[in-house]
Coordinates of all heavy atoms in Angstrom, one line a residue:
F1 N -4.3 2.3 6.7 CA -3.3 1.2 6.7 C -4.1 -0.1 6.7 O -3.6 -1.1 6.0 CB -2.5 1.3 7.9 CG -1.3 2.2 7.7 CD1 -1.1 3.3 8.6 CD2 -0.4 2.0 6.7 CE1 0.0 4.1 8.5 CE2 0.7 2.8 6.6 CZ 0.9 3.9 7.5
S2 N -5.2 -0.3 7.3 CA -6.0 -1.5 7.3 C -6.5 -1.7 5.9 O -6.5 -2.9 5.4 CB -7.2 -1.4 8.3 OG -6.7 -1.2 9.5
R3 N -7.0 -0.7 5.2 CA -7.5 -0.9 3.9 C -6.4 -1.3 2.9 O -6.5 -2.1 2.0 CB -8.1 0.4 3.4 CG -8.9 0.2 2.1 CD -9.8 1.5 1.8 NE -8.9 2.6 1.5 CZ -9.4 3.8 1.1 NH1 -10.7 3.9 0.9 NH2 -8.6 4.8 0.8
F4 N -5.2 -0.7 3.1 CA -4.0 -1.1 2.3 C -3.7 -2.6 2.5 O -3.4 -3.2 1.6 CB -2.8 -0.1 2.7 CG -1.5 -0.6 2.1 CD1 -1.3 -0.4 0.7 CD2 -0.6 -1.1 2.8 CE1 -0.1 -0.7 0.2 CE2 0.7 -1.6 2.3 CZ 0.9 -1.3 0.9
A5 N -3.6 -2.9 3.8 CA -3.2 -4.3 4.1 C -4.2 -5.3 3.6 O -3.8 -6.4 3.0 CB -3.1 -4.5 5.7
L6 N -5.5 -5.0 3.6 CA -6.5 -5.8 3.0 C -6.4 -5.9 1.6 O -6.5 -7.0 1.0 CB -7.9 -5.3 3.4 CG -9.1 -6.1 3.0 CD1 -9.1 -7.5 3.7 CD2 -10.4 -5.3 3.3
G7 N -6.0 -4.9 0.9 CA -5.8 -4.8 -0.6 C -4.7 -5.7 -0.9 O -4.7 -6.5 -1.9
V8 N -3.6 -5.7 -0.1 CA -2.4 -6.5 -0.4 C -2.7 -8.0 -0.2 O -2.4 -8.9 -1.1 CB -1.2 -6.1 0.5 CG1 0.0 -7.1 0.3 CG2 -0.7 -4.7 0.1
W9 N -3.5 -8.3 0.8 CA -3.9 -9.7 1.1 C -4.8 -10.2 -0.1 O -4.7 -11.3 -0.6 CB -4.7 -9.7 2.4 CG -5.2 -11.1 2.6 CD1 -4.7 -12.2 3.2 CD2 -6.6 -11.5 2.3 NE1 -5.5 -13.2 3.2 CE2 -6.7 -12.9 2.7 CE3 -7.8 -10.9 1.7 CZ2 -7.9 -13.6 2.5 CZ3 -8.9 -11.6 1.6 CH2 -8.9 -12.9 2.0
W10 N -5.7 -9.3 -0.5 CA -6.6 -9.7 -1.6 C -5.8 -10.0 -2.9 O -6.1 -11.0 -3.7 CB -7.7 -8.7 -1.8 CG -8.7 -9.0 -2.9 CD1 -8.8 -8.4 -4.1 CD2 -9.7 -10.0 -2.9 NE1 -9.9 -8.9 -4.9 CE2 -10.3 -10.0 -4.1 CE3 -10.0 -11.0 -2.0 CZ2 -11.4 -10.9 -4.4 CZ3 -11.0 -11.8 -2.2 CH2 -11.8 -11.8 -3.4
D11 N -4.8 -9.2 -3.2 CA -4.0 -9.4 -4.3 C -3.3 -10.7 -4.3 O -3.2 -11.5 -5.3 CB -2.9 -8.3 -4.5 CG -3.6 -6.9 -4.8 OD1 -4.7 -6.9 -5.3 OD2 -2.9 -5.8 -4.6
N12 N -2.7 -11.0 -3.1 CA -2.0 -12.3 -2.9 C -3.0 -13.5 -3.1 O -2.7 -14.5 -3.6 CB -1.4 -12.3 -1.6 CG -0.1 -11.4 -1.5 OD1 0.5 -11.1 -2.5 ND2 0.1 -10.8 -0.3
F13 N -4.2 -13.3 -2.5 CA -5.2 -14.4 -2.5 C -5.6 -14.7 -4.0 O -5.8 -15.9 -4.4 CB -6.4 -13.9 -1.8 CG -7.6 -15.0 -1.7 CD1 -7.4 -16.1 -0.9 CD2 -8.7 -14.8 -2.5 CE1 -8.5 -17.0 -0.9 CE2 -9.7 -15.7 -2.5 CZ -9.6 -16.8 -1.8
R14 N -5.7 -13.6 -4.8 CA -6.1 -13.9 -6.2 C -4.9 -14.2 -7.1 O -5.0 -14.4 -8.4 CB -6.8 -12.6 -6.7 CG -8.0 -12.3 -6.0 CD -8.8 -11.1 -6.6 NE -9.1 -11.3 -8.0 CZ -9.6 -10.4 -8.8 NH1 -9.8 -9.2 -8.4 NH2 -9.9 -10.6 -10.1
G15 N -3.7 -14.1 -6.6 CA -2.5 -14.5 -7.3 C -2.0 -13.5 -8.3 O -1.2 -13.8 -9.2
N16 N -2.4 -12.2 -8.1 CA -1.8 -11.2 -9.0 C -1.2 -10.0 -8.2 O -1.3 -8.9 -8.5 CB -3.0 -10.6 -9.9 CG -4.1 -10.0 -9.0 OD1 -4.1 -10.1 -7.8 ND2 -5.1 -9.3 -9.7
S17 N -0.5 -10.4 -7.1 CA 0.2 -9.4 -6.3 C 1.3 -8.7 -7.1 O 1.5 -7.5 -6.8 CB 0.8 -10.1 -5.1 OG 1.8 -11.1 -5.5
I18 N 2.0 -9.4 -8.0 CA 3.2 -8.7 -8.7 C 2.6 -7.7 -9.6 O 3.1 -6.5 -9.6 CB 4.0 -9.8 -9.4 CG1 4.6 -10.8 -8.4 CG2 5.1 -9.1 -10.2 CD1 5.5 -10.2 -7.4
P19 N 1.6 -8.0 -10.5 CA 1.1 -6.9 -11.4 C 0.5 -5.7 -10.6 O 0.5 -4.5 -11.1 CB 0.0 -7.6 -12.2 CG 0.4 -9.0 -12.1 CD 1.0 -9.2 -10.8
K20 N 0.1 -5.9 -9.4 CA -0.6 -4.9 -8.6 C 0.4 -4.1 -7.7 O -0.1 -3.1 -7.1 CB -1.7 -5.5 -7.8 CG -2.9 -6.1 -8.5 CD -3.9 -5.0 -8.9 CE -5.2 -5.5 -9.4 NZ -6.1 -4.5 -9.8
Q21 N 1.6 -4.5 -7.7 CA 2.5 -3.8 -6.8 C 2.6 -2.3 -7.0 O 2.7 -1.6 -6.1 CB 3.9 -4.5 -6.9 CG 4.1 -5.7 -6.0 CD 5.6 -6.2 -5.9 OE1 6.4 -5.6 -6.6 NE2 5.8 -7.1 -5.0
K22 N 2.7 -1.9 -8.3 CA 2.9 -0.5 -8.6 C 1.7 0.3 -8.1 O 1.9 1.4 -7.5 CB 3.0 -0.4 -10.1 CG 3.5 1.0 -10.6 CD 5.0 1.1 -10.4 CE 5.5 2.3 -11.1 NZ 7.0 2.5 -10.9
K23 N 0.5 -0.2 -8.3 CA -0.7 0.4 -7.8 C -0.6 0.5 -6.2 O -1.0 1.5 -5.6 CB -2.0 -0.3 -8.3 CG -3.2 0.2 -7.7 CD -4.5 -0.7 -8.1 CE -5.7 -0.2 -7.5 NZ -6.9 -1.0 -7.8
R24 N -0.3 -0.6 -5.6 CA -0.3 -0.6 -4.1 C 0.8 0.3 -3.6 O 0.6 1.0 -2.6 CB -0.1 -2.0 -3.6 CG -1.1 -3.0 -4.0 CD -2.5 -2.6 -3.4 NE -3.6 -3.5 -3.8 CZ -4.8 -3.1 -3.7 NH1 -5.2 -2.0 -3.2 NH2 -5.8 -4.0 -4.0
A25 N 1.9 0.4 -4.3 CA 3.0 1.3 -3.9 C 2.5 2.7 -3.9 O 2.8 3.5 -3.0 CB 4.2 1.1 -4.8
R26 N 1.8 3.1 -5.0 CA 1.3 4.5 -5.1 C 0.3 4.8 -3.9 O 0.3 5.8 -3.4 CB 0.7 4.7 -6.4 CG 1.7 4.8 -7.6 CD 1.1 4.9 -8.9 NE 2.1 4.9 -9.9 CZ 1.9 4.5 -11.2 NH1 0.7 4.1 -11.6 NH2 2.8 4.7 -12.1
Q27 N -0.5 3.7 -3.7 CA -1.5 3.9 -2.6 C -0.8 4.1 -1.2 O -1.2 5.0 -0.5 CB -2.3 2.6 -2.5 CG -3.4 2.6 -1.4 CD -4.2 1.3 -1.3 OE1 -3.9 0.4 -2.1 NE2 -5.1 1.2 -0.3
L28 N 0.3 3.4 -1.0 CA 1.1 3.5 0.2 C 1.7 4.9 0.3 O 1.6 5.6 1.4 CB 2.1 2.5 0.3 CG 3.1 2.5 1.5 CD1 2.3 2.4 2.8 CD2 4.2 1.5 1.4
I29 N 2.2 5.5 -0.8 CA 2.7 6.8 -0.8 C 1.7 7.8 -0.5 O 1.9 8.8 0.3 CB 3.4 7.1 -2.2 CG1 4.5 6.1 -2.5 CG2 3.8 8.5 -2.3 CD1 5.6 6.2 -1.5
K30 N 0.5 7.7 -1.0 CA -0.6 8.7 -0.7 C -0.9 8.6 0.8 O -1.2 9.7 1.4 CB -1.8 8.3 -1.6 CG -1.6 8.7 -3.0 CD -3.0 8.3 -3.8 CE -2.8 8.6 -5.3 NZ -4.0 8.3 -6.0
I31 N -0.9 7.4 1.4 CA -1.2 7.2 2.8 C -0.2 8.0 3.7 O -0.5 8.7 4.5 CB -1.3 5.8 3.2 CG1 -2.5 5.1 2.5 CG2 -1.4 5.6 4.7 CD1 -2.6 3.6 2.6
L32 N 1.1 7.7 3.4 CA 2.2 8.3 4.1 C 2.2 9.7 4.0 O 2.4 10.5 5.0 CB 3.5 7.6 3.7 CG 3.7 6.1 4.0 CD1 5.0 5.6 3.3 CD2 3.7 5.9 5.4
T33 N 2.0 10.2 2.8 CA 2.0 11.7 2.6 C 0.9 12.4 3.3 O 1.1 13.5 3.9 CB 2.0 12.0 1.0 OG1 3.1 11.3 0.3 CG2 2.0 13.4 0.8
K34 N -0.2 11.8 3.2 CA -1.5 12.4 3.9 C -1.3 12.4 5.4 O -1.7 13.3 6.1 CB -2.7 11.6 3.5 CG -4.0 12.2 4.0 CD -5.2 11.6 3.5 CE -6.5 12.2 3.9 NZ -7.7 11.6 3.4
L35 N -0.7 11.3 5.9 CA -0.5 11.2 7.4 C 0.5 12.2 7.9 O 0.5 12.6 9.1 CB -0.2 9.8 7.8 CG -1.3 8.7 7.6 CD1 -0.7 7.4 8.0 CD2 -2.4 9.1 8.5
G36 N 1.4 12.7 7.1 CA 2.3 13.7 7.6 C 3.8 13.3 7.8 O 4.2 12.2 7.6
P37 N 4.5 14.3 8.4 CA 6.0 14.2 8.6 C 6.5 12.9 9.2 O 7.4 12.3 8.7 CB 6.3 15.4 9.4 CG 5.2 16.4 9.2 CD 4.0 15.5 9.0
A38 N 5.9 12.5 10.3 CA 6.4 11.3 11.1 C 6.3 10.1 10.2 O 7.2 9.3 10.2 CB 5.6 11.1 12.4
Y39 N 5.3 9.9 9.4 CA 5.1 8.8 8.5 C 6.0 8.9 7.3 O 6.4 7.8 6.7 CB 3.7 8.5 8.3 CG 2.9 8.2 9.6 CD1 2.4 9.3 10.3 CD2 2.8 6.9 10.1 CE1 1.8 9.0 11.5 CE2 2.2 6.6 11.3 CZ 1.6 7.7 12.0 OH 1.1 7.4 13.2
I40 N 6.1 10.1 6.8 CA 7.0 10.3 5.7 C 8.4 9.9 6.1 O 9.1 9.3 5.2 CB 6.9 11.7 5.2 CG1 5.6 12.0 4.6 CG2 8.0 12.0 4.2 CD1 5.3 13.5 4.3
K41 N 8.9 10.2 7.3 CA 10.2 9.8 7.7 C 10.3 8.3 7.6 O 11.4 7.8 7.3 CB 10.4 10.3 9.2 CG 10.6 11.7 9.3 CD 11.9 12.2 8.8 CE 12.2 13.6 8.9 NZ 13.4 14.1 8.3
I42 N 9.3 7.5 8.0 CA 9.3 6.0 8.0 C 9.6 5.6 6.5 O 10.3 4.8 6.2 CB 8.0 5.4 8.6 CG1 8.0 5.8 10.1 CG2 8.0 4.0 8.3 CD1 6.6 5.4 10.7
G43 N 8.8 6.2 5.6 CA 8.8 5.9 4.2 C 10.2 6.2 3.6 O 10.8 5.4 2.8
Q44 N 10.8 7.3 4.1 CA 12.2 7.7 3.6 C 13.2 6.6 4.0 O 14.1 6.3 3.3 CB 12.6 9.0 4.2 CG 11.9 10.2 3.5 CD 12.2 11.5 4.2 OE1 12.7 11.6 5.3 NE2 11.9 12.6 3.5
A45 N 13.0 6.1 5.3 CA 14.0 5.1 5.8 C 13.8 3.8 4.9 O 14.8 3.2 4.5 CB 13.7 4.8 7.2
L46 N 12.6 3.5 4.6 CA 12.4 2.3 3.8 C 12.9 2.4 2.3 O 13.3 1.4 1.7 CB 10.9 1.9 3.7 CG 10.3 1.4 5.0 CD1 8.7 1.2 4.9 CD2 10.9 0.1 5.4

């Protein structure tokens, strides 16, 4: 999650957060899936 947050911050800092959203979204899905059921539930709610 820290690495993901840092990546989002870096995208914003460089001004290309919108083009990178798809990539960051897939990264988030991989994180939630790997962490397991409790975190998948959070993703489902979102």
Side-chain angles (χ1 to χ4, degrees):
F1 277 122
S2 299
R3 192 170 66 174
F4 171 76
L6 184 62
V8 172
W9 174 84
W10 181 248
D11 292 341
N12 289 330
F13 179 76
R14 297 183 62 188
N16 62 353
S17 60
I18 300 300
K20 292 279 189 178
Q21 272 192 354
K22 195 78 172 176
K23 176 184 175 183
R24 296 301 175 194
R26 288 172 181 159
Q27 181 184 354
L28 179 61
I29 297 304
K30 288 180 181 178
I31 292 171
L32 295 175
T33 302
K34 187 174 181 180
L35 288 177
Y39 296 89
I40 291 171
K41 289 287 181 188
I42 296 172
Q44 287 175 342
L46 290 174

